[in-house]
Amino acid sequence: MDLWTFLWNTFLIFAFVVYLMILITIFTDLFRDRALNGWYKALWIIALLVFPYLSAFIYLIARGRGMAERQHEFAKASNDAATAYIRQAAGSGPASDIAAAKALLDDGTITAEEYEALKKKALA
């Protein structure tokens, strides 16, 4: 096998991998789009299977802007969910810890010394 055959085969493999990545992106976008009717989704899938390169090219041209907007909305929703989870898991800070310790002290669950220890720990 000469150098040019190797380079050509490498290029073909690269082009095929890029095409697969584009297909995965298109399928993800199709199923993420809630405004698109199910029949239109089915038609796009059939077109992608029958005329793969042409229909992928047309999809990217026709729906590219919407793809970017849906990806942005999905990333924002994921970020908001992660931020909410981190805030919930971390608690709201020393003020809430001290308030919880004060409530335990008022209920008589802990002593004044334990309250002071929890207060120092929260402020540390």
Side-chain angles (χ1 to χ4, degrees):
M1 180 162 74
D2 63 344
L3 177 64
W4 293 111
T5 306
F6 173 75
L7 289 176
W8 180 249
N9 289 338
T10 303
F11 173 75
L12 288 178
I13 292 170
F14 175 76
F16 183 69
V17 169
V18 168
Y19 172 70
L20 287 179
M21 291 173 63
I22 290 171
L23 263 183
I24 290 169
T25 303
I26 289 172
F27 281 124
T28 302
D29 183 64
L30 270 173
F31 290 107
R32 186 178 289 157
D33 188 6
R34 294 182 180 166
L36 191 62
N37 187 350
W39 289 105
Y40 289 121
K41 291 179 185 182
L43 286 175
W44 272 114
I45 291 172
I46 290 170
L48 285 166
L49 294 175
V50 174
F51 304 109
Y53 295 106
L54 180 63
S55 58
F57 187 64
I58 292 171
Y59 188 89
L60 291 175
I61 290 173
R63 298 179 49 86
R65 181 177 299 252
M67 285 177 70
E69 291 169 358
R70 282 184 291 279
Q71 178 64 27
H72 178 71
E73 290 170 5
F74 179 75
K76 187 175 183 322
S78 296
N79 188 27
D80 292 345
T83 302
Y85 173 73
I86 290 170
R87 285 188 181 148
Q88 182 267 333
S92 58
S96 67
D97 294 342
I98 293 172
K102 179 67 173 158
L104 290 174
L105 177 65
D106 292 342
D107 289 342
T109 308
I110 61 172
T111 64
E113 294 82 23
E114 291 172 326
Y115 169 72
E116 290 300 324
L118 288 173
K119 187 172 155 184
K120 284 182 184 178
K121 183 179 175 185
L123 293 174

